[in-house]
């Protein structure tokens, strides 16, 4: 069993870091590194003023990609930086440090440099960390500008008080990079519907060994479970994905992936973390049985057994249902080859689930290995919701939204 990835709370989050012409720009290097350390993807846009204080080369080295500072990258070749693309790419824009000048430009919608153009095109939230001398900071213009920006929803990371570059002492020092990074984390936690919820998802098949090279398995591709993991993580959940042998990359933002092979391993992995979860989705196609005896070497034709005895595997879902607390919610999947509705209803009750997702192999385009699915969701209160055939990614988003409104108090 492989335990992966420590905590990357900003995993997959896209942050545009705007740097303006303040002496505090040297702290932006630490901020960029801190955001990256926490898992964020970072792009940097610097004003001309900023490049006087810290070199684009320093920032490019830290974020491992070129920084943007001009509208045009190669004037003669007609190559330009797509400010609209940058504004749309980001999940959040952080301007740190933010000069009095840039704050004023933001208030008035000026578009005189690349950063201002990105800010005007942005569809995502914006945070600013002002940095300036205390008289500039307390000046009515700056205070008015900050008030207007705050009213428009810009998150103002208040400057600290202390010795300033001018030699004066007072309020105006840019907040510390770690504090700004904490604020960025808090932003993502409070804005998303599943923020703060721990979600466990099982996905894929299990492989039950027969001999050194052969196994009993099934055709589950893991696609539905991975689509769900991605949708939950996008909605702010801290996702732990316990996954059988599949050939899929870990979705962005997924907090932890545990790779297992057999049902016994999956049971062990689930047992180790289920108690600390708020929500569980058992999507894996776990083999109900395994060969009673296995061989460490490959069976040759001559020593093939005539019959293979099977042994029952642990019922992972039932174990989760039995130990479920009042605060936890549990959803199971049922794949039926026949009608299935009655059998899904029975499974819902028998395994103490809050909802069950039924898909039948009778529907074209539904089930294993395909990119689409058609499901019916039944819940413990008797509600039934049918979803048309659609891409597993789209369906996953709808299921995650449904459970947020119907299963989470
Ligand atoms: C040494 C030096 C330090 C400066 N520090 C600051 C500062 O901390 N905050 C500020 O608002 N402006 C500061 N300025 C002024 C800005 O660099 C100036 O207003 C510039 O036009 C800002 O442009 P930008 O907002 O496009 O980066 C400083 C200027 C110099 C020369």
């Amino acid at each position: 069993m492989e335990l992966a990835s420590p905590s990357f709370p900003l995993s997959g989050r896209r942050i545009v870091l705007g740097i303006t012409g303040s002496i505090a720009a040297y702290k932006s290097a630490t901020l960029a590194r801190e955001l990256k350390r926490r898992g964020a993807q970072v792009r940097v846009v610097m004003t001309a003023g900023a490049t006087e204080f810290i070199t684009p080369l320093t920032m490019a080295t830290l974020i491992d990609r070129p920084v943007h500072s001009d509208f045009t990258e190669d004037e003669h070749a007609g190559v330009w930086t797509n400010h609209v693309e940058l504004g749309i790419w980001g999940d959040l824009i952080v301007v740190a440090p933010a000069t009095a000048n840039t704050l004023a430009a933001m208030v008035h919608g000026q578009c005189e440099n690349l950063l201002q153009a990105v800010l005007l095109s942005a569809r995502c939230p914006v945070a600013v960390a002002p940095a300036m001398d205390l008289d500039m900071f307390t000046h009515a213009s700056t205070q008015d500008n900050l008030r207007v920006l705050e009213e428009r929803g810009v998150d103002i990371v208040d400057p600290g008080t202390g010795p300033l570059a001018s030699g004066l002492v007072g309020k105006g020092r840019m907040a510390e990079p770690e504090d700004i990074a904490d604020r960025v984390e808090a932003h993502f936690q409070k804005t998303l519907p599943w923020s703060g919820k721990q979600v466990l998802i099982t996905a894929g098949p299990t492989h039950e060994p027969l001999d050194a090279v052969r196994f009993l398995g099934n055709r589950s591709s893991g696609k539905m479970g991975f689509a769900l993991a991605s949708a939950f993580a996008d909605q702010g959940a801290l996702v732990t994905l316990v996954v059988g042998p599949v050939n899929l990359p870990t979705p962005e933002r997924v907090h932890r992936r545990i790779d297992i092979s057999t049902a016994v391993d999956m049971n062990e992995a689930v047992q180790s973390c289920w108690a600390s979860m708020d929500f569980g989705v058992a999507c894996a196609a776990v083999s109900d049985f395994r060969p009673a005896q296995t061989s460490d070497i490959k069976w040759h034709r001559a020593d093939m057994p005539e019959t293979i005895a099977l042994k029952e595997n642990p019922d992972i879902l039932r174990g989760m249902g039995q130990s479920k607390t009042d605060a936890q919610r549990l959803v199971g999947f049922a794949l039926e080859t026949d009608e299935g509705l009655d059998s899904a209803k029975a499974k819902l009750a028998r395994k103490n689930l809050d909802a069950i997702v039924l898909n039948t192999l009778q529907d074209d385009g539904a089930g294993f290995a395909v990119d689409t699915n058609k499901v019916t969701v039944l819940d413990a209160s008797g509600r039934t919701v049918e979803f048309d055939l659609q891409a597993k990614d789209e369906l996953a988003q709808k299921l995650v939204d449904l459970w947020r409104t119907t299963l989470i108090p």
Side-chain angles (χ1 to χ4, degrees):
M1 191 191 315
E2 185 190 319
L3 271 175
S5 62
S7 173
F8 294 121
L10 292 176
S11 188
R13 305 281 174 220
R14 296 169 173 165
I15 296 168
V16 176
L17 173 59
I19 309 177
T20 66
S22 155
I23 181 70
Y26 77 92
K27 291 187 186 174
S28 307
T30 311
L31 176 57
R33 215 182 44 186
E34 188 59 23
L35 293 172
K36 289 250 323 167
R37 193 186 65 76
R38 297 184 193 203
Q41 297 174 42
V42 181
R43 294 198 186 171
V44 167
V45 181
M46 300 174 76
T47 65
T51 62
E52 300 284 323
F53 292 92
I54 183 164
T55 68
L57 183 60
T58 303
M59 296 308 302
T61 308
L62 288 171
I63 64 164
D64 212 14
R65 56 175 301 131
V67 306
H68 308 278
S69 47
D70 293 316
F71 280 114
T72 48
E73 285 162 28
D74 182 344
E75 231 171 297
H76 304 295
V79 180
W80 56 292
T81 302
N82 191 335
H83 52 278
V84 176
E85 190 269 325
L86 267 171
I88 292 172
W89 176 84
D91 297 321
L92 178 71
I93 299 181
V94 184
V95 185
T99 56
N101 178 59
T102 292
L103 294 172
M106 287 171 74
V107 168
H108 296 290
Q110 281 165 229
C111 193
E112 287 174 346
N113 61 35
L114 181 67
L115 178 61
Q116 291 173 12
V118 171
L119 285 161
L120 268 185
S121 331
R123 292 191 184 162
C124 64
V126 175
V128 294
M132 63 202 73
D133 208 48
L134 85 144
D135 296 312
M136 290 170 77
F137 184 69
T138 49
H139 194 283
S141 308
T142 306
Q143 288 302 313
D144 282 354
N145 288 338
L146 286 170
R147 187 180 38 72
V148 170
L149 291 175
E150 195 163 26
E151 278 166 13
R152 289 184 196 161
V154 173
D155 188 16
I156 317 285
V157 187
D158 234 17
T161 301
L164 300 163
S166 60
L168 299 173
V169 177
K171 192 166 179 178
R173 289 163 63 99
M174 185 177 90
E176 292 308 316
E178 285 76 12
D179 296 335
I180 300 174
D182 285 349
R183 187 75 154 250
V184 169
E185 252 188 74
H187 162 82
F188 286 110
Q189 277 171 5
K190 73 169 184 270
T191 51
L192 295 166
W194 283 84
S195 292
K197 299 279 181 217
Q198 296 247 28
V199 176
L200 172 64
I201 297 172
T202 66
T206 61
H207 285 182
E208 311 298 330
L210 278 159
D211 67 7
V213 295
R214 302 182 181 93
F215 56 84
L216 280 181
N218 59 63
R219 293 202 304 274
S220 167
S221 63
K223 285 180 179 174
M224 193 65 228
F226 274 58
L228 280 166
S230 181
F232 271 111
D234 282 350
Q235 295 294 315
L238 219 54
V239 176
T240 298
L241 185 56
V242 177
V243 52
V246 295
N247 191 15
L248 295 171
T250 310
E252 279 187 357
R253 307 189 224 279
V254 161
H255 178 64
R256 192 159 63 128
R257 169 174 173 159
I258 304 174
D259 286 290
I260 54 85
S261 181
T262 66
V264 169
D265 288 347
M266 182 173 278
N267 191 42
E268 196 187 309
V270 165
Q271 293 290 329
S272 72
C273 57
W274 172 229
S276 59
M277 297 287 151
D278 299 295
F279 203 93
V281 184
C283 198
V286 182
S287 177
D288 292 331
F289 38 76
R290 65 181 183 277
Q293 276 177 340
T294 63
S295 162
D296 289 342
I297 52 164
K298 184 186 162 197
W299 281 332
H300 292 288
R301 225 175 253 278
D303 35 67
M304 280 293 285
E306 261 180 33
T307 55
I308 296 169
L310 298 174
K311 209 170 163 179
E312 201 182 338
N313 267 332
D315 186 337
I316 302 174
L317 186 55
R318 180 185 227 140
M320 293 169 85
Q322 276 169 349
S323 62
K324 183 166 68 104
T325 65
D326 289 347
Q328 288 178 309
R329 297 289 178 271
L330 179 59
V331 176
F333 268 67
L335 177 74
E336 305 288 346
T337 46
D338 44 30
E339 250 315 293
L341 208 56
D342 289 340
S343 123
K345 264 186 199 154
K347 186 171 173 181
L348 175 78
R350 196 172 65 246
K351 307 223 173 177
N352 192 25
L353 307 180
D354 297 288
I356 191 158
V357 182
L358 169 70
N359 44 12
T360 74
L361 285 179
Q362 285 182 334
D363 293 314
D364 282 346
F368 285 160
V370 289
D371 289 327
T372 50
N373 208 356
K374 177 172 183 276
V375 303
T376 302
V377 181
L378 317 173
D379 73 22
S381 68
R383 193 178 2 233
T384 304
V385 185
E386 283 184 34
F387 291 91
D388 292 337
L389 184 72
Q390 56 195 299
K392 284 180 175 171
D393 290 344
E394 276 171 42
L395 177 62
Q397 283 167 18
K398 289 180 188 160
L399 291 174
V400 167
D401 289 345
L402 173 76
W403 296 330
R404 185 73 190 88
T405 47
T406 57
L407 296 187
I408 297 292

